[in-house]
Amino acid sequence: MNQPTTQPKDPGVLGLMAVILLCPATVFMVVADAPQTMALVLLGLLVSAVWRQPLARTTRSYVYTTMAALVAMVGQHQLLPAHAERFFLMPGEIYCPLLLYLAVAMTFFEARESIVAAVVALAILATVIAGNVVSFHSRDPMFLQFVDNMVDFHRLYGIAALIETVAIPLLLGRAARQHSQDSRPRRGRLAGSLVLTACLAIAALVAFAMYSSAIGLQRGFQDILASFLQRYGRQRTRDTLFGRQVDLWRTAAPLSRRDQTVVLRVRSKRVPGYLRGYAYQSYEFGQWDSDDGNAQLLQPLPNEAGPITFRVFERFAPPPPDQSERLDILPASGFRSQVLLLPGDASRIEIISTEVRLSPDGVMFAGSWEPATGYVAVAPRLPLTFSYPGPAGNRLDPAPYLEVPGYLRPALREIAAEAFAGLPDDAPPEAAIAAVVNYLKHTCHYELGVQMEMHGGDPVVQFLTNWRRGHCELFAASAALLLRLRGVPTRYVTGFVCVEQPPGVQHYVARLADAHAWAEAYNDRTGTWELVEATPAAGIPHDTSETTLFGSLLDSLVLVWQRMLALMKRGYIAQALFSFFLGIWGCLRYLFANPWRATAIVGSLALLVYWFRHRRRQRHLARIREMGAARWLLRRPRELLLKRFQKAGVTAAPADTLRHLLARLASSQAPLATALAPVIGEYEQLRYGPEQPSPEDVRQFERRLRSALRGPTPKPDQDL
Amino acid sequence: MAKRTRNLLRRLKQWFYTGPTFLGIEPYPYRRKKGYQSPTVLGVLWLYAWSVRHLTTAGLLFVLCTGLALLYAMFSLLMPIHILAFALIGVVAVDVVAGWVLSPRLRTRRDLPERMACGAEHRILYRLENPSILTARDVQVDPLPYPRGLALPQGRAVLPALSPGEHGTASAVIQARRRGRYRLPAMRADSGFPFQLWRWGRNGEGNRTLTVYPAFTPLTGIDMPSGMRYQAGGIALSSKVGQSMEFLGCREFRTGDDLRRLHWRSWARVGVPVVREFREEYLCRTALIVDTARPAPFLWDEILRPLDEPLEAVVSLAAAVADYLADRDFVVDLFAAGPDVYRFRGGRSLGFLENILDILACVKPHYREPFAEFSEEIVQEVAQISSAVFLLLKWDERRRELIEQMTQAGVSVRVYLVIAARGKEPDGLPGSIRVLLARDVLAGKVASL
């Protein structure tokens, strides 16, 4: 990085760099009312042009120029700040000038490939940031009246982008040829220029073609991105479920193995049933939107003191304790939901959270909470006949729940006439609901993978008129819109249907495949929201479990573990321990209470133990056969010798032979080693000699060894 | 058909797992035990290789910025960023397609020496020929990245145009900054025309390996008592034309003697077969033992691999000693233990200094105890040698024992301990050991030992 440069800067390269940098500077000047930025960029370029000799490429010069750019940016930001109101998402009034000043600083160096590449990249990034504008509202009268609205701004930005894009290849070509080794006059310049111009024209055509189909490209890009994230994202389940919008244009993929992933486990005596997630009011162009802006903050009830860490929140008065049931809801790891999934009739929840908000549609949002700890919902022991109680105290304002987009009304009126044929105008809401459900179940059938046509009109109309087949979202949306047209306030709801109980366990599970959509219609006679299940039976998650016995055992172990952790975090440590032992006891009881099962288990264990013992004995016999029966008896003398070595302070490693130990002993206790040497020699002769010793030989050797080891304790310079 | 498809797939797999050889990167560092190669790592390697092969530096940044702009623009068309993104995409797409259509396939050759000294510069000569009917424009010669120990300080060669049928030459200066044996990237001549973002070209010919010797300052003298010792197998291993074993005398023929050694005149004189008897030559043989023990590098040193001054100094010193001894008809036995154990005998006519330097160019640091790699036989063999020069990087009990063992075997030993400039001498260092500063050795201040 310390190559001296002697050649002055090429004015052509510098000029093209100036063009490339002035484009984003112009856009930024207009967007942020910042002529000061343009002035500084121009000043910097002017100084760079006057300063003909490039700066030396040293670490120091790079640091100084970067510092100069930073100082210029900070100075501008402090003394003459740019307007920041128009920028969207990121503070462009800081980043854009910084990038521009850095690029200007780069022009002071020799135009090598890396420097030119840096200038180009900084200019492109500055242009991107300068175009980070979505509207022209909320600003003072502009300093420079270049543009009045977004259309003008798009035009200005397009011109700047075009100039910049044309100048970049010209700059790169000129900079590359600057270091040419060919001193001959350049040949074929005209042909080269013509080809270059033609290529630029084709590039402009390509860009224009893409610009013409920008909407389709955007949609395709978003689809690809979404599918990519869904397929390769680490938290796969996070983006697959409900959000604040529901897009009916999307194609519901056929069920796969991944859809069997468990997302919720509910421990309760009653069937959890429909667990409500989001509720949606407004519908437009195939999209439902949830309005949770009016969600009210719930005050926690006075709680028990001590180690209990959860708080209790009530959304309406709970039933008496003898008629209520506690549902312990534990989300699976990896599953995140912004809303609390609850039965519509759940009145109270216990959760470790700083705050809980309740929307007018009965959707509950938790503040910062730990999903691993789950939450407990208190609900009536027997599910009520309605889905969700109506507004407490005052009457419902039906207007938001009766909105049907104007463009949909003509098409839906015909269908509604067919669906409600024969139904008197003053028929109760129950009758209208029954009519809609009946109509949809008879005219449409459930099918996954139906793809809506992008130019075929609203998806609900396509579903009701063209396809007549689709997934639950289309059924629910159709029912909601038809009931609204009929004058019944209706909302669209998403959530899970949790009815599956794996065999042999006491809890319920909800899987990805159990995600569902339904509608809720307001019954003004009873003042409650009724559940409208318009999806045919084939599309409603059912209670048949395909889990194997082993799978359900594993699942219950997961639940035990998760619940134990949850209870510990909630403060029920003793309860957690108790439930742990209770779980073990339950397991044992399950295994041994049944005489047949107990017999089978005990028999299996006995067989296993027998098999292990038998194998060990076989190995033992094999070793004896390999070694010889008499040599097998030498194990005992060897152990005696090892004990003696250990007593003398020489510990045997697994790979040490007696000879190794003797050598080590000789260095510390030579007399003892001398005394032991003949015994060890005799042992080696018996153990490794060519002839198999007789058992009597071994026994005699052992006797001799014992008597030798029993001998008087050797003095330091004596023997044994 | 199915068989053909299977064969094709097999070949594709083989090609993939061979790695991008054109880049000069051996795939073996990425190979795990038992022949397993991570496809992810190889995939990343291929991606890198193709990006440096086809994208210029500006092109790489341009494409990255384009991707960023597109990603950002596609979130909302309300922002005008999509106009810029589409324009940039148009430029990249046209550059790739037009470049492929307009780029002629050049014949190229790179002339480069096989060996260089560290710190030296050399001019690489490129020969180019355009056999096609299209003019090659903006030809970038040898654009692939060189290994880190080599540099092209004056940049790559560029030819603005090469007409059909025309021959051209270009050159670039290569500088060897680190010793080592390098595998160079393939020679290529690529055209960046029209927009200088994407390059098309083809591989050429030329040498792909370069050995960079350690730099050393020739020594003016070594204070080493040279002595001759009987070498079993001796002169036969080191004989030149014109050299022979020394005549000792004649004796009676015994069964098994070589008939070619019969002394006919003596036989005629005494009447019984007599043979000539020779004595093995006494050689002046020196062992040069290079220590490579270095502490394991810490995190970023592992990645950045800064210059290890003590090791380089030891290697440089070893080269200087070998150079000095080789000039003086010594037989030099080089022992260097690192991840690989090097053992080489050179000098007289047995080998050339180049061979020793080749080995020293490849010596790597050893992060465990290098002398543990010496087998007992090697130690015994060193003990048979007249003298030994130890070039150590640290002083400890194991080294002390080894040197004492040699001394007791009658080998005259000289020990040199090289320490870093900021390091301090170890305690209890015998007075016979000379301590050298690595920086002094590298600066050529050590002219004699």
Side-chain angles (χ1 to χ4, degrees):
Chain A
M1 232 203 284
N2 51 1
Q3 298 298 319
T5 51
T6 50
Q7 295 229 342
K9 286 186 269 189
D10 179 9
V13 170
L14 195 62
L16 285 167
M17 282 183 182
V19 171
I20 289 169
L21 292 176
L22 287 175
C23 291
T26 308
V27 175
F28 181 76
M29 178 181 73
V30 172
V31 169
D33 270 355
Q36 62 272 28
T37 305
M38 175 64 101
L40 277 173
V41 169
L42 277 172
L43 182 67
L45 289 171
L46 197 65
V47 174
S48 179
V50 173
W51 199 314
R52 294 296 309 280
Q53 205 63 25
L55 292 179
R57 293 184 304 126
T58 60
T59 308
R60 181 178 295 185
S61 60
Y62 280 129
V63 170
Y64 284 174
T65 47
T66 307
M67 287 303 294
L70 282 169
V71 167
M73 188 277 292
V74 174
Q76 179 199 310
H77 192 60
Q78 294 296 322
L79 299 174
L80 298 164
H83 282 274
E85 292 170 356
R86 280 186 178 171
F87 289 107
F88 169 68
L89 198 63
M90 67 171 93
E93 79 281 4
I94 294 174
Y95 293 138
C96 191
L98 176 63
L99 294 176
L100 286 171
Y101 299 154
L102 279 174
V104 170
M106 291 289 112
T107 63
F108 281 79
F109 293 92
E110 189 189 5
R112 292 203 165 218
E113 192 186 9
S114 54
I115 295 290
V116 174
V119 170
V120 167
L122 290 168
I124 293 174
L125 290 176
T127 316
V128 170
I129 293 172
N132 182 25
V133 176
V134 289
S135 71
F136 265 70
H137 68 277
S138 73
R139 65 175 295 156
D140 303 330
M142 287 189 300
F143 183 80
L144 296 166
Q145 296 287 338
F146 278 123
V147 295
D148 285 333
N149 49 46
M150 280 304 284
V151 176
D152 284 350
F153 179 59
H154 274 233
R155 194 172 296 129
L156 172 78
Y157 192 89
I159 292 167
L162 197 68
I163 294 171
E164 189 179 344
T165 315
V166 169
I168 287 171
L170 298 177
L171 168 67
L172 294 177
R174 190 172 178 100
R177 285 187 285 274
Q178 214 181 357
H179 302 285
S180 162
Q181 293 185 352
D182 198 351
S183 54
R184 292 172 297 178
R186 208 176 143 204
R187 293 140 293 158
R189 278 183 81 164
L190 182 63
S193 303
L194 285 175
V195 173
L196 186 65
T197 311
C199 289
L200 283 171
I202 295 169
L205 282 176
V206 171
F208 183 73
M210 292 176 77
Y211 180 71
S212 306
S213 52
I215 297 171
L217 281 174
Q218 187 201 21
R219 184 140 199 109
F221 183 85
Q222 286 180 347
D223 287 348
I224 291 169
L225 194 66
S227 66
F228 181 81
L229 287 173
Q230 194 170 335
R231 185 171 297 176
Y232 298 108
R234 285 179 67 84
Q235 302 291 340
R236 291 182 176 180
T237 54
R238 288 188 179 182
D239 297 319
T240 54
L241 296 173
F242 327 112
R244 291 177 198 281
Q245 282 99 28
V246 173
D247 185 8
L248 296 184
W249 291 98
R250 79 177 182 90
T251 305
L255 292 180
S256 64
R257 188 177 175 79
R258 197 169 69 83
D259 291 313
Q260 295 303 313
T261 310
V262 174
V263 291
L264 281 178
R265 292 183 180 84
V266 183
R267 195 170 170 277
S268 76
K269 286 182 181 163
R270 66 163 251 194
V271 181
Y274 286 79
L275 299 178
R276 300 169 83 250
Y278 273 107
Y280 306 84
Q281 291 177 10
S282 60
Y283 176 83
E284 199 166 17
F285 296 118
Q287 184 165 301
W288 285 101
D289 278 301
S290 168
D291 179 19
D292 52 354
N294 297 325
Q296 67 179 62
L297 200 63
L298 291 182
Q299 291 302 320
L301 300 181
N303 206 343
E304 302 169 37
I308 302 301
T309 52
F310 63 80
R311 294 179 174 193
V312 181
F313 299 89
E314 260 185 24
R315 55 180 183 183
F316 47 83
D322 57 332
Q323 295 173 21
S324 64
E325 188 62 65
R326 290 165 64 85
L327 289 85
D328 204 349
I329 301 172
L330 294 160
S333 61
F335 171 69
R336 298 284 183 275
S337 171
Q338 292 179 345
V339 292
L340 299 177
L341 293 152
L342 292 166
D345 53 3
S347 53
R348 168 188 284 192
I349 65 159
E350 298 170 6
I351 185 171
I352 303 175
S353 174
T354 52
E355 61 172 37
V356 167
R357 287 178 298 120
L358 175 67
S359 82
D361 289 321
V363 180
M364 294 187 87
F365 304 89
S368 53
W369 70 294
E370 275 194 80
T373 58
Y375 45 95
V376 175
V378 178
R381 181 162 293 170
L382 296 173
L384 302 177
T385 52
F386 54 85
S387 166
Y388 187 76
N394 49 0
R395 285 179 59 80
L396 175 80
D397 174 19
Y401 303 101
L402 291 172
E403 279 180 6
V404 177
Y407 72 93
L408 267 180
R409 285 181 178 272
L412 284 182
R413 267 200 200 101
E414 292 177 19
I415 300 161
E418 197 181 334
F420 300 117
L423 200 70
D425 287 345
D426 58 347
E430 294 94 324
I433 293 168
V436 163
V437 170
N438 196 37
Y439 172 76
L440 289 172
K441 286 189 177 172
H442 282 92
T443 55
C444 306
H445 66 270
Y446 181 82
E447 187 177 319
L448 291 171
V450 176
Q451 198 168 2
M452 294 293 145
E453 281 184 3
M454 291 304 296
H455 305 293
D458 191 276
V460 170
V461 177
Q462 280 191 58
F463 168 67
L464 289 171
T465 56
N466 295 351
W467 306 108
R468 292 189 178 263
R469 54 197 167 87
H471 60 285
C472 58
E473 290 177 330
L474 294 166
F475 282 95
S478 305
L481 292 174
L482 287 171
L483 284 170
R484 283 185 178 190
L485 208 64
R486 172 76 184 179
V488 180
T490 315
R491 63 192 178 201
Y492 175 93
V493 184
T494 55
F496 282 98
V497 179
C498 182
V499 288
E500 181 192 337
Q501 191 172 31
V505 298
Q506 298 296 319
H507 65 274
Y508 295 85
V509 295
R511 302 175 188 277
L512 279 176
D514 296 332
H516 193 51
W518 61 91
E520 284 179 353
Y522 187 68
N523 189 338
D524 52 2
R525 299 186 181 191
T526 58
T528 55
W529 288 92
E530 309 292 344
L531 191 146
V532 182
E533 181 53 274
T535 309
I540 305 173
H542 47 79
D543 59 354
T544 314
S545 181
E546 293 175 1
T547 314
T548 59
L549 200 63
F550 181 69
S552 64
L553 186 67
L554 278 181
D555 199 66
S556 63
L557 283 176
V558 171
L559 179 79
V560 165
W561 175 249
Q562 200 177 355
R563 186 156 182 272
M564 197 177 71
L565 287 180
L567 288 174
M568 287 176 84
K569 287 195 174 179
R570 288 176 198 168
Y572 292 125
I573 296 171
Q575 192 176 345
L577 289 172
F578 179 71
S579 64
F580 175 69
F581 289 115
L582 204 66
I584 292 174
W585 167 244
C587 258
L588 291 173
R589 202 177 57 173
Y590 172 76
L591 293 174
F592 294 104
N594 185 314
W596 294 109
R597 205 179 289 148
T599 311
I601 288 167
V602 171
S604 306
L605 283 174
L607 276 175
L608 204 64
V609 169
Y610 172 76
W611 181 70
F612 273 119
R613 289 178 65 86
H614 178 73
R615 200 177 63 162
R616 206 172 71 171
R617 181 165 172 72
Q618 288 299 319
R619 284 183 181 169
H620 178 73
L621 291 174
R623 285 186 66 189
I624 292 174
R625 274 197 298 276
E626 186 188 345
M627 192 185 280
R631 279 181 175 164
W632 182 254
L633 297 176
L634 282 168
R635 283 179 306 124
R636 182 71 189 153
R638 186 173 187 276
E639 279 172 14
L640 290 172
L641 280 167
L642 287 178
K643 274 185 188 169
R644 186 68 190 89
F645 276 118
Q646 196 171 8
K647 197 173 168 187
V650 178
T651 314
D656 278 344
T657 62
L658 290 175
R659 189 60 64 177
H660 280 135
L661 299 177
L662 191 66
R664 271 157 52 195
L665 186 67
S667 60
S668 56
Q669 299 185 39
L672 180 60
T674 315
L676 282 177
V679 186
I680 289 174
E682 199 177 345
Y683 170 84
E684 285 172 342
Q685 183 62 30
L686 289 170
R687 174 71 181 82
Y688 305 110
E691 298 293 327
Q692 274 279 351
S694 67
E696 188 53 37
D697 293 340
V698 176
R699 275 193 281 276
Q700 283 179 8
F701 168 69
E702 188 175 347
R703 275 196 291 275
R704 282 197 300 279
L705 177 66
R706 281 181 186 282
S707 62
L709 293 177
R710 268 201 303 271
T713 308
K715 293 171 186 172
D717 55 350
Q718 201 59 38
D719 56 2
L720 284 169
Chain B
M1 186 65 185
K3 190 177 175 185
R4 197 173 293 172
T5 311
R6 272 202 304 276
N7 280 341
L8 180 68
L9 285 174
R10 189 172 50 78
R11 279 205 297 275
L12 272 174
K13 192 176 169 186
Q14 196 176 359
W15 169 80
F16 176 77
Y17 277 102
T18 308
T21 50
F22 64 83
L23 203 59
I25 294 177
E26 295 285 351
Y28 69 83
Y30 309 97
R31 193 189 293 271
R32 283 196 212 160
K33 286 179 181 174
K34 296 180 183 174
Y36 173 75
Q37 279 178 287
S38 162
T40 312
V41 173
L42 265 177
V44 172
L45 188 63
W46 270 108
L47 191 68
Y48 167 73
W50 282 92
S51 68
V52 296
R53 176 170 165 167
H54 286 298
L55 284 167
T56 60
T57 310
L60 182 64
L61 290 178
F62 192 91
V63 168
L64 288 175
C65 291
T66 304
L68 194 70
L70 182 70
L71 193 71
Y72 202 74
M74 285 296 105
F75 284 114
S76 172
L77 294 182
L78 290 174
M79 293 185 288
I81 300 172
H82 61 278
I83 303 172
L84 176 71
F86 294 154
L88 298 177
I89 289 172
V91 166
V92 174
V94 170
D95 193 29
V96 173
V97 176
W100 184 72
V101 172
L102 298 172
S103 165
R105 311 289 180 253
L106 301 177
R107 282 189 202 137
T108 53
R109 178 167 184 80
R110 173 174 64 197
D111 289 332
L112 182 72
E114 287 186 0
R115 294 178 172 87
M116 283 179 74
C118 184
E121 286 189 350
H122 193 278
R123 188 163 283 277
I124 312 171
L125 187 66
Y126 303 106
R127 299 171 204 280
L128 298 97
E129 182 193 351
N130 183 4
S132 71
I133 56 167
L134 290 169
T135 300
R137 297 178 194 281
D138 300 333
V139 180
Q140 297 172 26
V141 186
D142 205 7
L144 292 178
Y146 271 48
R148 199 159 45 170
L150 304 173
L152 301 172
Q154 294 176 12
R156 316 266 171 169
V158 175
L159 288 179
L162 204 61
S163 305
E166 193 182 6
H167 291 257
T169 55
S171 65
V173 174
I174 184 170
Q175 187 183 46
R177 292 184 174 170
R178 294 265 184 103
R179 68 176 175 85
R181 186 173 171 80
Y182 296 102
R183 187 167 166 77
L184 301 180
M187 164 63 195
R188 287 180 67 83
D190 295 341
S191 168
F193 189 74
F195 297 155
Q196 313 296 332
L197 301 171
W198 189 273
R199 292 189 294 236
W200 288 106
R202 65 188 294 188
N203 289 349
E205 301 167 2
N207 184 22
R208 295 282 305 270
T209 55
L210 178 65
T211 306
V212 177
Y213 289 161
F216 65 91
T217 308
L219 297 173
T220 54
I222 302 179
D223 176 22
M224 186 170 61
S226 57
M228 291 199 174
R229 296 188 90 182
Y230 172 73
Q231 303 296 329
I235 196 73
L237 292 174
S238 59
S239 61
K240 289 185 200 171
V241 174
Q243 283 188 332
S244 64
M245 290 182 287
E246 198 171 330
F247 179 67
L248 186 65
C250 289
R251 62 166 171 79
E252 283 186 11
F253 176 81
R254 288 199 288 265
T255 309
D257 280 344
D258 189 350
L259 293 180
R260 285 177 296 183
R261 293 188 177 178
L262 281 169
H263 196 249
W264 301 98
R265 289 181 183 172
S266 300
W267 188 356
R269 204 173 293 133
V270 298
V272 291
V274 173
V275 291
R276 287 168 293 171
E277 196 175 26
F278 294 91
R279 186 176 60 179
E280 299 285 2
E281 177 82 72
Y282 279 68
L283 290 181
C284 199
R285 191 171 161 203
T286 299
L288 180 55
I289 296 150
V290 179
D291 189 0
T292 56
R294 299 301 299 149
F298 181 69
L299 199 61
W300 47 83
D301 285 352
E302 179 76 35
I303 300 162
L304 298 174
R305 300 262 174 197
L307 187 73
D308 187 349
E309 281 190 353
L311 179 71
E312 295 305 317
V314 157
V315 172
S316 170
L317 211 55
V321 171
D323 171 59
Y324 179 85
L325 297 178
D327 277 356
R328 282 155 185 78
D329 242 16
F330 278 66
V331 173
V332 180
D333 285 62
L334 173 70
F335 296 94
D340 301 311
V341 176
Y342 296 102
R343 183 185 171 202
F344 178 78
R345 181 179 294 164
R348 292 178 68 114
S349 65
L350 292 177
F352 298 95
L353 183 62
E354 281 77 11
N355 300 121
I356 292 181
L357 293 179
D358 276 351
I359 290 175
L360 290 175
C362 302
V363 166
K364 289 177 183 166
H366 197 29
Y367 304 127
R368 283 178 288 181
E369 178 49 68
F371 290 133
E373 310 289 342
F374 285 140
S375 66
E376 191 63 26
E377 289 78 18
I378 294 179
V379 175
Q380 291 298 329
E381 190 173 335
V382 175
Q384 299 295 320
I385 290 173
S386 342
S387 54
V389 177
F390 279 84
L391 301 173
L392 300 182
L393 284 164
K394 64 177 183 180
W395 180 250
D396 58 10
E397 194 60 23
R398 182 184 281 269
R399 283 160 179 72
R400 190 186 60 74
E401 276 179 12
L402 185 66
I403 287 162
E404 274 184 8
Q405 201 179 342
M406 297 279 173
T407 311
Q408 284 167 8
V411 180
S412 67
V413 175
R414 282 287 175 275
V415 183
Y416 300 95
L417 178 67
V418 177
I419 59 171
R422 61 180 180 280
K424 67 167 194 174
E425 289 182 23
D427 297 329
L429 196 66
S432 61
I433 296 178
R434 185 174 163 190
V435 178
L436 302 169
L437 288 181
R439 194 159 292 173
D440 289 350
V441 175
L442 292 176
K445 292 179 183 171
V446 179
S448 64
L449 293 175

